[in-house]
Amino acid sequence: MTTAVHRPATLEDVARVAGVSRSTASRVIAGTGFASPAAREQVTAAVDQLGYVPNPAARALVRGGGVRLVVAVLGTSAAVLDDPYVHQVVGSAARVCTPAGVGVALHWLPFGDPRGLDQLDGDRSVCGVILVNTTEELLAAVPLSLRGRVVSIGVGSATVPSFDVDNAGGAEAVLRHLYASGRRRIAMVTGPRWLPCAQRPVRTYRHLMSLAGLPERVLPGDFTAARGRVAAGEALRRWPDLDAIYAISDDTALGVIAGLRDAGARVPGMSRWPASTTSRLPG
Amino acid sequence: MTTAVHRPATLEDVARVAGVSRSTASRVIAGTGFASPAAREQVTAAVDQLGYVPNPAARALVRGGGVRLVVAVLGTSAAVLDDPYVHQVVGSAARVCTPAGVGVALHWLPFGDPRGLDQLDGDRSVCGVILVNTTEELLAAVPLSLRGRVVSIGVGSATVPSFDVDNAGGAEAVLRHLYASGRRRIAMVTGPRWLPCAQRPVRTYRHLMSLAGLPERVLPGDFTAARGRVAAGEALRRWPDLDAIYAISDDTALGVIAGLRDAGARVPGMSRWPASTTSRLPG
DNA sequence: CTGTTAGCGCCTTCAC
DNA sequence: GTGAAGGCGCTAACAG
């Protein structure tokens, strides 16, 4: 029955209501240190009577921990931050961090400018960093004081642990599928040249094509739909007999599909259709 | 040339190096209050000599502001937090909040349980809330002390401002496109029944179908791919002459495509093909 | 214009 | 077992 303006409860309030000191309240709430069953009882009662929620900011301040996990994405422009893949990383991170009172931030690391990371390690509110689109150069630019708080998706190093999805396996599955459905003239739109972990699917592609005695047709991409669209046109021009395009990243694949439609090709199938049949939105 | 362990610089350090007091340093850094050009100069020099970054947690603590923006998603299960749409909201929010030192958190609001919001308003570290999948009930459950810090995507109220995309317009564009490409037996897989803003495209669909003298074929969906897949099968069973399915949400659309392929239908086109031609992954 | 003085909410030694 | 005291890094009044 709070009558006044509902000011969020503080530890002080809890302690007062529970009839104990702040220290005791803190101990039972943080679950650290000793407390008599009686005190414990009082405090927990007070907590949910007041709807008390510890303030992560204050907690982080005194503990020296941070309140933000940074997803740092290397790219040639800030547009990388709009990539669905990045969004998925951020979303998953947010979900995991929320119960711990940790928020997620999104940083663009300009390609070729290692100072971005220096800024992060001067920030006491950062408790961890996830590197996306990691290169060897980026790994080398990780400040010492950030070690132990950084992980990488893709390539890692002795001081930066890494994890990744099975790029090669995925590529193999897709290509075997295309082969099984009869495709024999398969082009590939790659990821950026400078990204190490994007080379794995390319190697797999080259390997499988050579195994099957099929021609290698590689077009450089950059994970964007725009590039996929253009690449599709190039592919059709260079290799008119194409019967499949393997594009890395969902965005690129959608761009490729758009590009194929632009050119009047049918997807799936890649056989041309009469231009007049091409659907278009009403003006 | 720091030799010792690189402890992140504090305002105190900056003030000492600049030869001024903490207050002065604070003023020029926060850009608030007066400061002589000379002092300003000293301080900024010290700042980037030390690589100083203000601590958002400490700042939030004293200012009474928060350090986290919460994206709160209403849904029947925690799985809603994995939705690509939610990820996009979180990603965009993170991008915007990062420069302000604000992190993003992701909360699931169990459908029919309004207490989730109460917890948020007891949390001093929360500076704002974005409601996703908002219903009237949810709007009514927004605590008074949260007013002014909450916005909604979709429906809003007198105290909760809202914004939204043009659902109806999007639906109309898609349906006109299908019509223009010759489709006349178009089914629709909807969003959840309980979500107000998901009803708009349904109304548009019904309206346009009746305008064109076409049959209404509506199947309930829930934004998931799984439901889309099942719905596609149902649609084919109930209306074997179908020549298009309009699905709301990308996930649902992908599920529908998968369901159509399960049933041996061709996409795009929706004409059946010989089952033997159906591609499948190699074991 | 600048420095001094109080805290923000919480945790963590310390005595008791 | 418990309380009192100090401080995390920063800003917002105040005096000078």
Side-chain angles (χ1 to χ4, degrees), chain A residues 145-192:
Chain A
S145 51
L146 227 40
R147 307 282 168 85
R149 293 188 291 159
V150 184
V151 296
S152 161
I153 300 180
V155 295
S157 71
T159 53
V160 178
S162 68
F163 55 101
D164 203 352
V165 296
D166 182 10
N167 285 316
E172 178 157 354
V174 168
L175 291 169
R176 283 196 185 283
H177 168 73
L178 288 175
Y179 189 87
S181 60
R183 314 312 167 101
R184 293 293 180 273
R185 296 173 302 275
I186 308 169
M188 170 174 190
V189 182
T190 72

mmCIF file of all heavy atoms in Angstrom, chain A residues 145-192:
data_model
loop_
_atom_site.group_PDB
_atom_site.id
_atom_site.type_symbol
_atom_site.label_atom_id
_atom_site.label_comp_id
_atom_site.label_asym_id
_atom_site.label_seq_id
_atom_site.Cartn_x
_atom_site.Cartn_y
_atom_site.Cartn_z
ATOM 1 N N SER A 145 44.966 -4.949 -21.786
ATOM 2 C CA SER A 145 44.057 -4.848 -20.654
ATOM 3 C C SER A 145 42.661 -5.369 -20.994
ATOM 4 O O SER A 145 41.809 -5.487 -20.140
ATOM 5 C CB SER A 145 43.964 -3.402 -20.187
ATOM 6 O OG SER A 145 43.692 -2.568 -21.288
ATOM 7 N N LEU A 146 42.455 -5.693 -22.263
ATOM 8 C CA LEU A 146 41.153 -6.216 -22.657
ATOM 9 C C LEU A 146 41.177 -7.749 -22.684
ATOM 10 O O LEU A 146 40.130 -8.399 -22.729
ATOM 11 C CB LEU A 146 40.782 -5.675 -24.047
ATOM 12 C CG LEU A 146 39.369 -5.116 -24.256
ATOM 13 C CD1 LEU A 146 38.917 -4.318 -23.065
ATOM 14 C CD2 LEU A 146 39.321 -4.280 -25.517
ATOM 15 N N ARG A 147 42.380 -8.288 -22.637
ATOM 16 C CA ARG A 147 42.522 -9.744 -22.663
ATOM 17 C C ARG A 147 41.697 -10.384 -21.548
ATOM 18 O O ARG A 147 41.707 -9.907 -20.429
ATOM 19 C CB ARG A 147 43.992 -10.158 -22.455
ATOM 20 C CG ARG A 147 44.968 -9.502 -23.396
ATOM 21 C CD ARG A 147 44.940 -10.155 -24.755
ATOM 22 N NE ARG A 147 45.679 -9.336 -25.726
ATOM 23 C CZ ARG A 147 47.009 -9.401 -25.898
ATOM 24 N NH1 ARG A 147 47.715 -10.236 -25.178
ATOM 25 N NH2 ARG A 147 47.601 -8.640 -26.791
ATOM 26 N N GLY A 148 41.049 -11.443 -21.886
ATOM 27 C CA GLY A 148 40.244 -12.125 -20.879
ATOM 28 C C GLY A 148 38.807 -11.638 -20.883
ATOM 29 O O GLY A 148 37.925 -12.262 -20.315
ATOM 30 N N ARG A 149 38.593 -10.514 -21.550
ATOM 31 C CA ARG A 149 37.220 -10.023 -21.647
ATOM 32 C C ARG A 149 36.742 -10.030 -23.089
ATOM 33 O O ARG A 149 35.676 -9.509 -23.400
ATOM 34 C CB ARG A 149 37.122 -8.597 -21.099
ATOM 35 C CG ARG A 149 37.356 -8.496 -19.600
ATOM 36 C CD ARG A 149 37.052 -7.094 -19.100
ATOM 37 N NE ARG A 149 38.028 -6.114 -19.569
ATOM 38 C CZ ARG A 149 37.808 -4.804 -19.639
ATOM 39 N NH1 ARG A 149 36.626 -4.332 -19.297
ATOM 40 N NH2 ARG A 149 38.750 -3.986 -20.048
ATOM 41 N N VAL A 150 37.565 -10.595 -23.964
ATOM 42 C CA VAL A 150 37.236 -10.573 -25.386
ATOM 43 C C VAL A 150 37.116 -11.977 -25.954
ATOM 44 O O VAL A 150 37.932 -12.845 -25.655
ATOM 45 C CB VAL A 150 38.339 -9.824 -26.178
ATOM 46 C CG1 VAL A 150 37.957 -9.721 -27.640
ATOM 47 C CG2 VAL A 150 38.560 -8.452 -25.593
ATOM 48 N N VAL A 151 36.088 -12.189 -26.752
ATOM 49 C CA VAL A 151 36.002 -13.427 -27.525
ATOM 50 C C VAL A 151 35.745 -13.055 -28.978
ATOM 51 O O VAL A 151 35.326 -11.934 -29.274
ATOM 52 C CB VAL A 151 34.866 -14.354 -27.036
ATOM 53 C CG1 VAL A 151 35.123 -14.818 -25.624
ATOM 54 C CG2 VAL A 151 33.527 -13.670 -27.168
ATOM 55 N N SER A 152 36.006 -13.998 -29.847
ATOM 56 C CA SER A 152 35.873 -13.717 -31.276
ATOM 57 C C SER A 152 34.998 -14.761 -31.948
ATOM 58 O O SER A 152 35.037 -15.940 -31.612
ATOM 59 C CB SER A 152 37.272 -13.704 -31.909
ATOM 60 O OG SER A 152 37.182 -13.866 -33.315
ATOM 61 N N ILE A 153 34.190 -14.306 -32.884
ATOM 62 C CA ILE A 153 33.463 -15.245 -33.728
ATOM 63 C C ILE A 153 34.282 -15.415 -34.999
ATOM 64 O O ILE A 153 34.531 -14.448 -35.709
ATOM 65 C CB ILE A 153 32.058 -14.724 -34.084
ATOM 66 C CG1 ILE A 153 31.246 -14.495 -32.817
ATOM 67 C CG2 ILE A 153 31.349 -15.705 -34.998
ATOM 68 C CD1 ILE A 153 29.838 -13.991 -33.081
ATOM 69 N N GLY A 154 34.720 -16.635 -35.259
ATOM 70 C CA GLY A 154 35.578 -16.872 -36.419
ATOM 71 C C GLY A 154 36.974 -17.216 -35.943
ATOM 72 O O GLY A 154 37.143 -18.105 -35.123
ATOM 73 N N VAL A 155 37.961 -16.469 -36.445
ATOM 74 C CA VAL A 155 39.332 -16.764 -36.041
ATOM 75 C C VAL A 155 39.622 -16.252 -34.639
ATOM 76 O O VAL A 155 39.060 -15.256 -34.198
ATOM 77 C CB VAL A 155 40.359 -16.146 -37.021
ATOM 78 C CG1 VAL A 155 40.234 -16.793 -38.376
ATOM 79 C CG2 VAL A 155 40.194 -14.647 -37.111
ATOM 80 N N GLY A 156 40.507 -16.953 -33.946
ATOM 81 C CA GLY A 156 40.918 -16.543 -32.612
ATOM 82 C C GLY A 156 42.427 -16.511 -32.525
ATOM 83 O O GLY A 156 43.103 -16.603 -33.542
ATOM 84 N N SER A 157 42.944 -16.338 -31.316
ATOM 85 C CA SER A 157 44.385 -16.324 -31.142
ATOM 86 C C SER A 157 44.708 -16.940 -29.790
ATOM 87 O O SER A 157 43.816 -17.427 -29.092
ATOM 88 C CB SER A 157 44.922 -14.898 -31.204
ATOM 89 O OG SER A 157 44.538 -14.185 -30.045
ATOM 90 N N ALA A 158 45.974 -16.880 -29.404
ATOM 91 C CA ALA A 158 46.374 -17.461 -28.130
ATOM 92 C C ALA A 158 45.678 -16.763 -26.971
ATOM 93 O O ALA A 158 45.342 -17.374 -25.965
ATOM 94 C CB ALA A 158 47.889 -17.364 -27.969
ATOM 95 N N THR A 159 45.431 -15.447 -27.123
ATOM 96 C CA THR A 159 44.848 -14.701 -26.012
ATOM 97 C C THR A 159 43.363 -14.418 -26.199
ATOM 98 O O THR A 159 42.691 -14.005 -25.270
ATOM 99 C CB THR A 159 45.572 -13.354 -25.818
ATOM 100 O OG1 THR A 159 45.581 -12.674 -27.065
ATOM 101 C CG2 THR A 159 46.989 -13.563 -25.350
ATOM 102 N N VAL A 160 42.876 -14.615 -27.402
ATOM 103 C CA VAL A 160 41.461 -14.359 -27.664
ATOM 104 C C VAL A 160 40.749 -15.646 -28.082
ATOM 105 O O VAL A 160 40.923 -16.128 -29.194
ATOM 106 C CB VAL A 160 41.284 -13.312 -28.783
ATOM 107 C CG1 VAL A 160 39.805 -13.101 -29.082
ATOM 108 C CG2 VAL A 160 41.945 -12.003 -28.405
ATOM 109 N N PRO A 161 39.958 -16.199 -27.170
ATOM 110 C CA PRO A 161 39.247 -17.428 -27.509
ATOM 111 C C PRO A 161 38.225 -17.170 -28.603
ATOM 112 O O PRO A 161 37.720 -16.058 -28.746
ATOM 113 C CB PRO A 161 38.557 -17.815 -26.199
ATOM 114 C CG PRO A 161 38.569 -16.603 -25.357
ATOM 115 C CD PRO A 161 39.681 -15.729 -25.820
ATOM 116 N N SER A 162 37.942 -18.186 -29.395
ATOM 117 C CA SER A 162 37.023 -17.992 -30.500
ATOM 118 C C SER A 162 36.067 -19.159 -30.616
ATOM 119 O O SER A 162 36.300 -20.233 -30.088
ATOM 120 C CB SER A 162 37.802 -17.858 -31.806
ATOM 121 O OG SER A 162 38.412 -19.087 -32.113
ATOM 122 N N PHE A 163 34.975 -18.912 -31.294
ATOM 123 C CA PHE A 163 34.047 -19.981 -31.622
ATOM 124 C C PHE A 163 33.459 -19.652 -32.982
ATOM 125 O O PHE A 163 33.550 -18.525 -33.458
ATOM 126 C CB PHE A 163 32.955 -20.133 -30.564
ATOM 127 C CG PHE A 163 32.196 -18.875 -30.289
ATOM 128 C CD1 PHE A 163 30.946 -18.685 -30.853
ATOM 129 C CD2 PHE A 163 32.718 -17.885 -29.477
ATOM 130 C CE1 PHE A 163 30.237 -17.520 -30.609
ATOM 131 C CE2 PHE A 163 32.010 -16.716 -29.223
ATOM 132 C CZ PHE A 163 30.775 -16.532 -29.802
ATOM 133 N N ASP A 164 32.876 -20.626 -33.587
ATOM 134 C CA ASP A 164 32.358 -20.381 -34.933
ATOM 135 C C ASP A 164 31.403 -21.496 -35.326
ATOM 136 O O ASP A 164 31.372 -22.551 -34.708
ATOM 137 C CB ASP A 164 33.503 -20.319 -35.947
ATOM 138 C CG ASP A 164 33.104 -19.527 -37.187
ATOM 139 O OD1 ASP A 164 31.913 -19.176 -37.309
ATOM 140 O OD2 ASP A 164 33.972 -19.252 -38.021
ATOM 141 N N VAL A 165 30.623 -21.241 -36.359
ATOM 142 C CA VAL A 165 29.770 -22.291 -36.903
ATOM 143 C C VAL A 165 30.582 -23.082 -37.914
ATOM 144 O O VAL A 165 31.652 -22.670 -38.335
ATOM 145 C CB VAL A 165 28.513 -21.713 -37.589
ATOM 146 C CG1 VAL A 165 27.644 -21.007 -36.588
ATOM 147 C CG2 VAL A 165 28.900 -20.795 -38.719
ATOM 148 N N ASP A 166 30.045 -24.201 -38.321
ATOM 149 C CA ASP A 166 30.767 -25.069 -39.241
ATOM 150 C C ASP A 166 30.548 -24.594 -40.675
ATOM 151 O O ASP A 166 29.764 -25.163 -41.427
ATOM 152 C CB ASP A 166 30.281 -26.507 -39.063
ATOM 153 C CG ASP A 166 31.041 -27.466 -39.969
ATOM 154 O OD1 ASP A 166 32.045 -27.042 -40.567
ATOM 155 O OD2 ASP A 166 30.610 -28.623 -40.076
ATOM 156 N N ASN A 167 31.281 -23.539 -41.051
ATOM 157 C CA ASN A 167 31.131 -22.962 -42.390
ATOM 158 C C ASN A 167 31.371 -23.985 -43.489
ATOM 159 O O ASN A 167 30.611 -24.067 -44.454
ATOM 160 C CB ASN A 167 32.145 -21.832 -42.586
ATOM 161 C CG ASN A 167 31.743 -20.586 -41.835
ATOM 162 O OD1 ASN A 167 30.579 -20.209 -41.872
ATOM 163 N ND2 ASN A 167 32.663 -19.967 -41.152
ATOM 164 N N ALA A 168 32.460 -24.729 -43.333
ATOM 165 C CA ALA A 168 32.820 -25.679 -44.375
ATOM 166 C C ALA A 168 31.730 -26.737 -44.515
ATOM 167 O O ALA A 168 31.304 -27.073 -45.628
ATOM 168 C CB ALA A 168 34.159 -26.322 -44.046
ATOM 169 N N GLY A 169 31.264 -27.237 -43.398
ATOM 170 C CA GLY A 169 30.216 -28.260 -43.436
ATOM 171 C C GLY A 169 28.958 -27.749 -44.102
ATOM 172 O O GLY A 169 28.329 -28.445 -44.902
ATOM 173 N N GLY A 170 28.595 -26.519 -43.782
ATOM 174 C CA GLY A 170 27.397 -25.935 -44.377
ATOM 175 C C GLY A 170 27.538 -25.800 -45.877
ATOM 176 O O GLY A 170 26.636 -26.144 -46.644
ATOM 177 N N ALA A 171 28.699 -25.311 -46.290
ATOM 178 C CA ALA A 171 28.954 -25.157 -47.721
ATOM 179 C C ALA A 171 28.842 -26.504 -48.420
ATOM 180 O O ALA A 171 28.198 -26.628 -49.473
ATOM 181 C CB ALA A 171 30.348 -24.568 -47.941
ATOM 182 N N GLU A 172 29.435 -27.507 -47.804
ATOM 183 C CA GLU A 172 29.419 -28.829 -48.411
ATOM 184 C C GLU A 172 27.987 -29.341 -48.563
ATOM 185 O O GLU A 172 27.609 -29.875 -49.614
ATOM 186 C CB GLU A 172 30.245 -29.804 -47.566
ATOM 187 C CG GLU A 172 30.224 -31.206 -48.130
ATOM 188 C CD GLU A 172 31.422 -32.032 -47.685
ATOM 189 O OE1 GLU A 172 32.314 -31.475 -47.027
ATOM 190 O OE2 GLU A 172 31.443 -33.225 -48.025
ATOM 191 N N ALA A 173 27.174 -29.147 -47.531
ATOM 192 C CA ALA A 173 25.793 -29.621 -47.590
ATOM 193 C C ALA A 173 25.031 -28.951 -48.729
ATOM 194 O O ALA A 173 24.326 -29.602 -49.511
ATOM 195 C CB ALA A 173 25.094 -29.353 -46.254
ATOM 196 N N VAL A 174 25.204 -27.621 -48.836
ATOM 197 C CA VAL A 174 24.502 -26.886 -49.892
ATOM 198 C C VAL A 174 24.939 -27.371 -51.266
ATOM 199 O O VAL A 174 24.114 -27.644 -52.148
ATOM 200 C CB VAL A 174 24.781 -25.374 -49.769
ATOM 201 C CG1 VAL A 174 24.302 -24.645 -51.019
ATOM 202 C CG2 VAL A 174 24.110 -24.809 -48.531
ATOM 203 N N LEU A 175 26.234 -27.502 -51.446
ATOM 204 C CA LEU A 175 26.753 -27.863 -52.763
ATOM 205 C C LEU A 175 26.371 -29.299 -53.138
ATOM 206 O O LEU A 175 26.014 -29.582 -54.283
ATOM 207 C CB LEU A 175 28.276 -27.676 -52.780
ATOM 208 C CG LEU A 175 28.684 -26.192 -52.712
ATOM 209 C CD1 LEU A 175 30.175 -26.032 -52.454
ATOM 210 C CD2 LEU A 175 28.270 -25.464 -53.995
ATOM 211 N N ARG A 176 26.398 -30.189 -52.167
ATOM 212 C CA ARG A 176 25.988 -31.561 -52.446
ATOM 213 C C ARG A 176 24.506 -31.602 -52.826
ATOM 214 O O ARG A 176 24.088 -32.367 -53.689
ATOM 215 C CB ARG A 176 26.230 -32.460 -51.227
ATOM 216 C CG ARG A 176 27.675 -32.846 -51.060
ATOM 217 C CD ARG A 176 27.845 -34.024 -50.104
ATOM 218 N NE ARG A 176 29.248 -34.294 -49.867
ATOM 219 C CZ ARG A 176 30.048 -34.921 -50.739
ATOM 220 N NH1 ARG A 176 29.555 -35.348 -51.892
ATOM 221 N NH2 ARG A 176 31.326 -35.124 -50.461
ATOM 222 N N HIS A 177 23.752 -30.739 -52.167
ATOM 223 C CA HIS A 177 22.327 -30.667 -52.493
ATOM 224 C C HIS A 177 22.131 -30.220 -53.936
ATOM 225 O O HIS A 177 21.343 -30.811 -54.687
ATOM 226 C CB HIS A 177 21.629 -29.702 -51.541
ATOM 227 C CG HIS A 177 20.238 -29.326 -51.958
ATOM 228 N ND1 HIS A 177 19.182 -30.189 -51.865
ATOM 229 C CD2 HIS A 177 19.760 -28.189 -52.511
ATOM 230 C CE1 HIS A 177 18.095 -29.598 -52.332
ATOM 231 N NE2 HIS A 177 18.416 -28.383 -52.723
ATOM 232 N N LEU A 178 22.854 -29.172 -54.320
ATOM 233 C CA LEU A 178 22.734 -28.675 -55.689
ATOM 234 C C LEU A 178 23.150 -29.760 -56.680
ATOM 235 O O LEU A 178 22.491 -29.984 -57.697
ATOM 236 C CB LEU A 178 23.606 -27.426 -55.870
ATOM 237 C CG LEU A 178 23.093 -26.160 -55.168
ATOM 238 C CD1 LEU A 178 24.092 -25.024 -55.298
ATOM 239 C CD2 LEU A 178 21.734 -25.745 -55.720
ATOM 240 N N TYR A 179 24.228 -30.451 -56.352
ATOM 241 C CA TYR A 179 24.717 -31.498 -57.247
ATOM 242 C C TYR A 179 23.673 -32.610 -57.372
ATOM 243 O O TYR A 179 23.361 -33.082 -58.468
ATOM 244 C CB TYR A 179 26.032 -32.056 -56.714
ATOM 245 C CG TYR A 179 26.723 -32.987 -57.686
ATOM 246 C CD1 TYR A 179 27.586 -32.474 -58.642
ATOM 247 C CD2 TYR A 179 26.501 -34.357 -57.640
ATOM 248 C CE1 TYR A 179 28.221 -33.311 -59.543
ATOM 249 C CE2 TYR A 179 27.123 -35.212 -58.528
ATOM 250 C CZ TYR A 179 27.988 -34.681 -59.485
ATOM 251 O OH TYR A 179 28.600 -35.520 -60.381
ATOM 252 N N ALA A 180 23.121 -32.980 -56.241
ATOM 253 C CA ALA A 180 22.135 -34.064 -56.231
ATOM 254 C C ALA A 180 20.908 -33.703 -57.046
ATOM 255 O O ALA A 180 20.239 -34.559 -57.630
ATOM 256 C CB ALA A 180 21.741 -34.381 -54.795
ATOM 257 N N SER A 181 20.585 -32.398 -57.098
ATOM 258 C CA SER A 181 19.404 -32.011 -57.876
ATOM 259 C C SER A 181 19.774 -31.702 -59.322
ATOM 260 O O SER A 181 19.002 -31.089 -60.050
ATOM 261 C CB SER A 181 18.708 -30.818 -57.212
ATOM 262 O OG SER A 181 19.571 -29.716 -57.127
ATOM 263 N N GLY A 182 20.977 -32.113 -59.695
ATOM 264 C CA GLY A 182 21.326 -32.089 -61.120
ATOM 265 C C GLY A 182 22.115 -30.889 -61.608
ATOM 266 O O GLY A 182 22.438 -30.792 -62.792
ATOM 267 N N ARG A 183 22.416 -29.950 -60.711
ATOM 268 C CA ARG A 183 23.157 -28.758 -61.164
ATOM 269 C C ARG A 183 24.617 -29.122 -61.421
ATOM 270 O O ARG A 183 25.234 -29.836 -60.639
ATOM 271 C CB ARG A 183 23.074 -27.647 -60.114
ATOM 272 C CG ARG A 183 21.681 -27.423 -59.555
ATOM 273 C CD ARG A 183 20.648 -27.318 -60.661
ATOM 274 N NE ARG A 183 19.287 -27.407 -60.104
ATOM 275 C CZ ARG A 183 18.526 -26.350 -59.908
ATOM 276 N NH1 ARG A 183 18.945 -25.171 -60.242
ATOM 277 N NH2 ARG A 183 17.306 -26.512 -59.404
ATOM 278 N N ARG A 184 25.147 -28.609 -62.508
ATOM 279 C CA ARG A 184 26.529 -28.920 -62.857
ATOM 280 C C ARG A 184 27.347 -27.673 -63.182
ATOM 281 O O ARG A 184 28.550 -27.728 -63.346
ATOM 282 C CB ARG A 184 26.570 -29.865 -64.081
ATOM 283 C CG ARG A 184 26.018 -31.252 -63.805
ATOM 284 C CD ARG A 184 26.914 -32.004 -62.812
ATOM 285 N NE ARG A 184 26.400 -33.343 -62.535
ATOM 286 C CZ ARG A 184 25.499 -33.615 -61.590
ATOM 287 N NH1 ARG A 184 25.022 -32.632 -60.834
ATOM 288 N NH2 ARG A 184 25.082 -34.856 -61.394
ATOM 289 N N ARG A 185 26.689 -26.524 -63.327
ATOM 290 C CA ARG A 185 27.419 -25.292 -63.629
ATOM 291 C C ARG A 185 27.085 -24.275 -62.543
ATOM 292 O O ARG A 185 26.228 -23.412 -62.709
ATOM 293 C CB ARG A 185 27.054 -24.798 -65.023
ATOM 294 C CG ARG A 185 27.485 -25.798 -66.114
ATOM 295 C CD ARG A 185 26.983 -25.420 -67.472
ATOM 296 N NE ARG A 185 25.524 -25.320 -67.513
ATOM 297 C CZ ARG A 185 24.703 -26.355 -67.716
ATOM 298 N NH1 ARG A 185 25.202 -27.570 -67.889
ATOM 299 N NH2 ARG A 185 23.412 -26.189 -67.741
ATOM 300 N N ILE A 186 27.786 -24.446 -61.416
ATOM 301 C CA ILE A 186 27.461 -23.718 -60.191
ATOM 302 C C ILE A 186 28.458 -22.597 -59.928
ATOM 303 O O ILE A 186 29.656 -22.839 -59.829
ATOM 304 C CB ILE A 186 27.478 -24.683 -58.981
ATOM 305 C CG1 ILE A 186 26.581 -25.903 -59.272
ATOM 306 C CG2 ILE A 186 27.071 -23.963 -57.712
ATOM 307 C CD1 ILE A 186 26.737 -27.019 -58.269
ATOM 308 N N ALA A 187 27.929 -21.380 -59.820
ATOM 309 C CA ALA A 187 28.791 -20.249 -59.459
ATOM 310 C C ALA A 187 28.683 -19.995 -57.961
ATOM 311 O O ALA A 187 27.747 -20.447 -57.302
ATOM 312 C CB ALA A 187 28.378 -19.000 -60.226
ATOM 313 N N MET A 188 29.663 -19.261 -57.449
ATOM 314 C CA MET A 188 29.626 -18.915 -56.026
ATOM 315 C C MET A 188 29.860 -17.422 -55.841
ATOM 316 O O MET A 188 30.768 -16.851 -56.463
ATOM 317 C CB MET A 188 30.702 -19.680 -55.258
ATOM 318 C CG MET A 188 30.859 -19.185 -53.823
ATOM 319 S SD MET A 188 32.011 -20.167 -52.835
ATOM 320 C CE MET A 188 31.666 -19.450 -51.209
ATOM 321 N N VAL A 189 29.026 -16.803 -54.987
ATOM 322 C CA VAL A 189 29.283 -15.421 -54.578
ATOM 323 C C VAL A 189 29.817 -15.473 -53.158
ATOM 324 O O VAL A 189 29.129 -15.936 -52.246
ATOM 325 C CB VAL A 189 28.016 -14.552 -54.640
ATOM 326 C CG1 VAL A 189 28.342 -13.118 -54.258
ATOM 327 C CG2 VAL A 189 27.399 -14.606 -56.032
ATOM 328 N N THR A 190 31.053 -15.011 -52.973
ATOM 329 C CA THR A 190 31.748 -15.194 -51.698
ATOM 330 C C THR A 190 31.454 -14.081 -50.701
ATOM 331 O O THR A 190 30.745 -13.127 -50.996
ATOM 332 C CB THR A 190 33.269 -15.212 -51.926
ATOM 333 O OG1 THR A 190 33.694 -13.883 -52.239
ATOM 334 C CG2 THR A 190 33.633 -16.147 -53.062
ATOM 335 N N GLY A 191 32.063 -14.208 -49.506
ATOM 336 C CA GLY A 191 32.084 -13.119 -48.536
ATOM 337 C C GLY A 191 33.271 -12.224 -48.858
ATOM 338 O O GLY A 191 33.955 -12.432 -49.850
ATOM 339 N N PRO A 192 33.507 -11.212 -48.013
ATOM 340 C CA PRO A 192 34.621 -10.302 -48.265
ATOM 341 C C PRO A 192 35.959 -11.048 -48.279
ATOM 342 O O PRO A 192 36.163 -11.946 -47.466
ATOM 343 C CB PRO A 192 34.555 -9.308 -47.112
ATOM 344 C CG PRO A 192 33.430 -9.713 -46.243
ATOM 345 C CD PRO A 192 32.725 -10.857 -46.833
#
